[in-house]
Amino acid sequence: KPMTFPCYRWLIGDIKLEIREGTAKTLKDDSSPQLLTHRKAELQERKSAYRWVTWAPGIPRCIDAKTEADLPQDVRFDNEKRSDFEHSLHYALLELSLKKLAIKFGKSWNDLEDFKRIFWKLRSPVAEYCMEHWRDDWFFGYQCMNGSNPRMIQRCKKLPENFPITANMVQSSMSPRTHLDRELKAGNIYLLDYAITDGIPTNTIRGTRQHIAAPLCLLYQHPDQGLIPVAIQLEQTPGLDTPIFLPTDPPLTWLLAKMWVRHSEFQVFQLLSHLLRTHLVIEVFCVATLRQLPAVHPVYKLLAPHLRYTLEINCRGRTQLISDNGIFKRVVSTGGEGLLVLSQREYQVLTYRSLQPRYDFTDRGVTRLDKYHYREHSLLLWDAIHRFVSGVVDLYYLSDQDVEEDLELQAWIRDITQEGFTELPNFGLSSKLSSREEVYTLLSVVIFISTAQHAATNNGQFDWCAWVPNTPCTMRHPPPTDKDAVTMEMIMDTLPDVSQSCVQMAITWHLGRAQPDAIPLGQYTEEHFTEGRAQQVIDRFRMELKEIEEHIRSENEGAELQYLYLLPSRIENSITI
Ligand code: OYP
């Protein structure tokens, strides 16, 4: 097994012996001039191997590599990973293209049941459950909390001015003993607002314009039914052509309105929650760590296992997924210019605070949302990660002053804030680290996002997107304007065609399936830390993860629909897919 992040190669002669023990050292701990020279030489070499580049303006900067082939060998996939990645994709695409041929190319489906014709073999229990229940309102609400994009739902204290709902409209979703105003005050009303997709340039696929709406959806935490959608408006500006859709509308009308919400959800989920807020954010830390911290540095040792393979998967994403002729351009409504505009909008409002789960939940006002498993598991994991990180940091930094005086660590945070997250005045991460507390939080963010948060967004994508009508990647007709004019034919002409559906199935399966060579959270196979004190902290972390594992297991036992994305054994130690 090749070492991804080598520790020892810089060290020669008697010095090599000392370091082979693996004792982590900050700059101050390394006293001999010889060692200091090596530290410097290592960093010089690394800075020339790993350089920043602006792939596109207005999003995080990334590694300077045109394709994965330009990356240094140390950060490339190993043979097993590469062949598995390439084979799995070909397998999925081949399987589906055979079906595609058997059906008909580039055409609409006839009926919702038709999607079953490609829904075969590449299955999962949740995907199947989804296929059976995707029309149900409770299932729609459930997905806002425990689907692939659990960060969109927010509490609604006051109705938005551009969403003119009256109490009357939603009364039928509530018991006669209560009404909208009372439920707003009680904290039982929630909102999905896709304003960010308003006016995004749309893709043209084989000559056909695709469409994007900007929905608003009001939800009610019903005492018996759980979280259910009660009103949907598909554009941000109210008007005669943008009716407010209700569960009491003709069934197909309400269904189509929900599909439009879920189509915006696909875009926000994949591009913002997944790509931008996990992959691209973590790449910044990856590049800065490789450039600024020598392999003996404790922060390097702590982070390296959480940064494995991220540069390569991101390079592949940039060349094959979001490039001018990539997968998005071929089948997704935001393909082309749209995906960049959307990402730039999100980047403008991205905050360091929102990357910390506790703040994320309080700021969205969702601390009292019922059966929000993602929130519960996230907090357990965050706390375990935070205890682990502070345990490690305390071994090498005895005071806040030690933090302030670590010149390598200060160069690292400057690289992150000034070279990585550029053009981002409101990000809220200072370019100077002044206390141990700040270091705990920052390193916990990096580990939490590269493990738990990525698992929560990535690993369910086949479950929630394989049944294409549940989360369509594109819409081929504009949103409905007349509640009484919605037909099955119109729905079929709107949803992704046969070919687009096949690609959506293939790619989400390819990315969402368990990785055969996965290293789970907390398994440190390369033994960066060898000193006993550090091993103890690692062991305690593993024990806590085991407890979380058992807790989640028993909580899910016998449940018809299980939430297992944050099961520690299913969380990868880094973003590798
Ligand atoms: C890289 O040969 C990645 O076509 C995925 O990207 C898929 C390929 C290459 C295709 C290879 C090929 C991984 C990194 C990332 C990310 C996050 C965003 C994922 C979005 C998935 C969208 C699925 C689209 C379905 C229509």
Side-chain angles (χ1 to χ4, degrees):
K1 241 190 170 174
M3 290 214 303
T4 332
F5 288 77
C7 312
Y8 315 122
R9 59 157 43 169
W10 296 97
L11 305 157
I12 45 163
D14 50 337
I15 299 154
K16 192 173 176 181
L17 276 176
E18 187 199 350
I19 305 299
R20 194 179 289 148
E21 283 170 18
T23 307
K25 287 185 165 169
T26 62
L27 190 55
K28 259 195 352 193
D29 304 329
D30 251 350
S31 40
S32 92
Q34 216 179 352
L35 280 169
L36 291 176
T37 313
H38 281 294
R39 263 186 119 99
K40 241 173 137 177
E42 179 184 0
L43 289 182
Q44 229 159 37
E45 179 101 344
R46 288 246 223 89
K47 280 177 201 166
S48 76
Y50 302 99
R51 301 164 312 273
W52 294 106
V53 81
T54 304
W55 185 77
I59 58 172
R61 287 173 82 219
C62 64
I63 187 73
D64 183 5
K66 285 221 163 53
T67 73
E68 66 278 4
D70 292 343
L71 291 172
Q73 201 54 42
D74 293 334
V75 295
R76 295 291 313 270
F77 287 176
D78 68 14
N79 287 331
E80 189 194 340
K81 170 83 174 169
R82 179 174 4 92
S83 94
D84 175 71
F85 181 88
E86 288 165 4
H87 280 117
S88 128
L89 188 74
H90 288 151
Y91 168 78
L93 287 172
L94 186 71
E95 161 141 347
L96 287 162
S97 63
L98 290 177
K99 287 200 196 97
K100 205 158 71 184
L101 285 179
I103 307 169
K104 48 190 173 173
F105 191 79
K107 283 279 181 54
S108 298
W109 303 95
N110 291 322
D111 192 271
L112 285 165
E113 292 296 298
D114 269 5
F115 282 93
K116 286 192 178 155
R117 297 170 67 179
I118 56 164
F119 196 81
W120 173 67
K121 204 159 172 190
L122 310 175
R123 288 192 180 193
S124 80
V126 180
E128 220 149 316
Y129 194 93
C130 177
M131 180 178 87
E132 303 296 336
H133 295 273
W134 67 288
R135 296 164 192 258
D136 300 348
D137 285 349
W138 73 266
F139 190 77
F140 180 99
Y142 176 90
Q143 291 187 76
C144 304
M145 300 188 285
N146 303 312
S148 276
N149 185 28
R151 53 161 283 272
M152 202 62 191
I153 183 101
Q154 54 177 84
R155 182 175 161 192
C156 179
K157 289 186 178 155
K158 194 174 150 278
L159 293 176
E161 254 149 50
N162 59 342
F163 197 11
I165 297 172
T166 62
N168 254 346
M169 290 180 185
V170 298
Q171 189 62 52
S172 65
S173 301
M174 297 177 180
S175 109
R177 288 183 303 280
T178 187
H179 53 84
L180 182 60
D181 271 345
R182 188 157 138 202
E183 296 300 326
L184 276 165
K185 285 201 189 78
N188 291 326
I189 302 294
Y190 292 86
L191 183 70
L192 294 170
D193 187 349
Y194 295 91
I196 196 156
T197 59
D198 192 18
I200 291 295
T202 52
N203 199 1
T204 299
I205 301 173
R206 280 191 257 113
T208 310
R209 255 281 301 282
Q210 311 293 300
H211 297 268
I212 301 172
L216 287 149
C217 174
L218 201 74
L219 299 106
Y220 171 45
Q221 181 164 258
H222 190 285
D224 310 320
Q225 297 168 40
L227 188 69
I228 48 167
V230 296
I232 291 171
Q233 178 181 296
L234 296 178
E235 299 291 356
Q236 292 287 309
T237 316
L240 285 179
D241 281 346
T242 46
I244 294 181
F245 297 97
L246 302 168
T248 47
D249 290 342
L252 285 184
T253 306
W254 179 237
L255 191 62
L256 182 57
K258 286 191 288 179
M259 287 183 205
W260 272 100
V261 178
R262 299 288 308 167
H263 164 257
S264 273
E265 172 75 359
F266 179 98
Q267 315 306 326
V268 166
F269 153 51
Q270 290 291 16
L271 292 169
L272 309 184
S273 304
H274 185 193
L275 184 60
L276 178 65
R277 283 172 167 274
T278 69
H279 284 257
L280 300 185
V281 162
I282 290 303
E283 184 167 358
V284 168
F285 292 94
C286 207
V287 175
T289 303
L290 286 161
R291 286 170 54 81
Q292 304 295 345
L293 301 177
V296 292
H297 195 284
V299 171
Y300 181 97
K301 288 179 181 245
L302 180 65
L303 291 186
H306 302 291
L307 304 174
R308 184 179 88 125
Y309 290 166
T310 306
L311 292 180
E312 172 146 0
I313 193 62
N314 285 3
C315 283
R316 287 178 182 263
R318 279 188 287 271
T319 54
Q320 302 179 309
L321 199 62
I322 55 172
S323 51
D324 289 340
N325 51 5
I327 303 267
F328 265 76
K329 183 66 200 160
R330 280 181 274 153
V331 302
V332 183
S333 60
T334 49
E337 208 193 334
L339 66 90
L340 186 58
V341 176
L342 190 58
S343 305
Q344 287 167 335
R345 284 188 189 172
E346 179 74 2
Y347 185 62
Q348 278 310 305
V349 297
L350 176 66
T351 62
Y352 177 49
R353 192 180 156 91
S354 70
L355 299 174
Q356 303 170 42
R358 250 193 199 85
Y359 286 132
D360 174 40
F361 300 130
T362 49
D363 292 352
R364 287 191 287 122
V366 291
T367 51
R368 290 192 299 138
L369 202 45
D370 207 27
K371 301 214 173 72
Y372 196 1
H373 310 303
Y374 162 76
R375 179 195 61 212
E376 295 306 307
H377 300 177
S378 287
L379 292 175
L380 289 175
L381 287 160
W382 170 267
D383 289 343
I385 289 170
H386 195 274
R387 273 191 293 273
F388 164 59
V389 166
S390 49
V392 172
V393 169
D394 285 353
L395 297 176
Y396 306 97
Y397 298 88
L398 303 182
S399 65
D400 290 346
Q401 196 179 347
D402 283 352
V403 169
E404 285 189 332
E405 288 174 357
D406 184 345
L407 298 178
E408 287 168 343
L409 191 69
Q410 299 297 345
W412 176 74
I413 188 70
R414 273 200 309 278
D415 221 23
I416 292 162
T417 53
Q418 294 170 8
E419 299 295 330
F421 296 113
T422 52
E423 313 165 79
L424 205 49
N426 300 322
F427 187 47
L429 178 62
S430 157
S431 48
K432 197 176 161 307
L433 286 165
S434 338
S435 68
R436 291 196 293 179
E437 196 63 50
E438 286 175 17
V439 178
Y440 306 153
T441 304
L442 182 56
L443 299 179
S444 300
V445 164
V446 178
I447 296 177
F448 179 82
I449 302 284
S450 60
T451 60
Q453 188 61 17
H454 182 257
T457 43
N458 182 74
N459 297 2
Q461 61 181 304
F462 184 71
D463 289 345
W464 307 108
C465 302
W467 183 251
V468 173
N470 183 57
T471 320
C473 62
T474 190
M475 293 297 242
R476 296 178 296 142
H477 275 292
T481 52
D482 179 355
K483 287 189 180 197
D484 294 318
V486 177
T487 60
M488 185 54 83
E489 196 187 355
M490 175 177 168
I491 291 180
M492 292 301 125
D493 287 345
T494 302
L495 285 174
D497 64 24
V498 173
S499 154
Q500 293 162 336
S501 307
C502 286
V503 176
Q504 175 171 335
M505 284 264 292
I507 304 287
T508 55
W509 176 76
H510 171 59
L511 298 179
R513 94 214 139 94
Q515 296 299 299
D517 64 337
I519 300 174
L521 177 57
Q523 301 302 316
Y524 297 103
T525 51
E526 285 175 33
E527 303 238 331
H528 285 281
F529 290 107
T530 55
E531 52 271 49
R533 302 181 305 158
Q535 275 307 320
Q536 272 172 18
V537 182
I538 291 176
D539 288 345
R540 198 186 63 188
F541 180 41
R542 291 211 186 124
M543 235 175 54
E544 291 190 24
L545 291 174
K546 236 178 116 191
E547 283 164 20
I548 297 176
E549 179 96 12
E550 279 155 23
H551 170 78
I552 296 178
R553 279 268 176 227
S554 69
E555 191 186 62
N556 277 282
E557 220 170 72
E560 209 179 358
L561 185 52
Q562 304 194 330
Y563 188 77
L564 299 172
Y565 306 123
L566 291 180
L567 203 58
S569 61
R570 296 198 186 179
I571 300 176
E572 265 200 274
N573 225 5
S574 65
I575 300 179
T576 74
I577 189 65

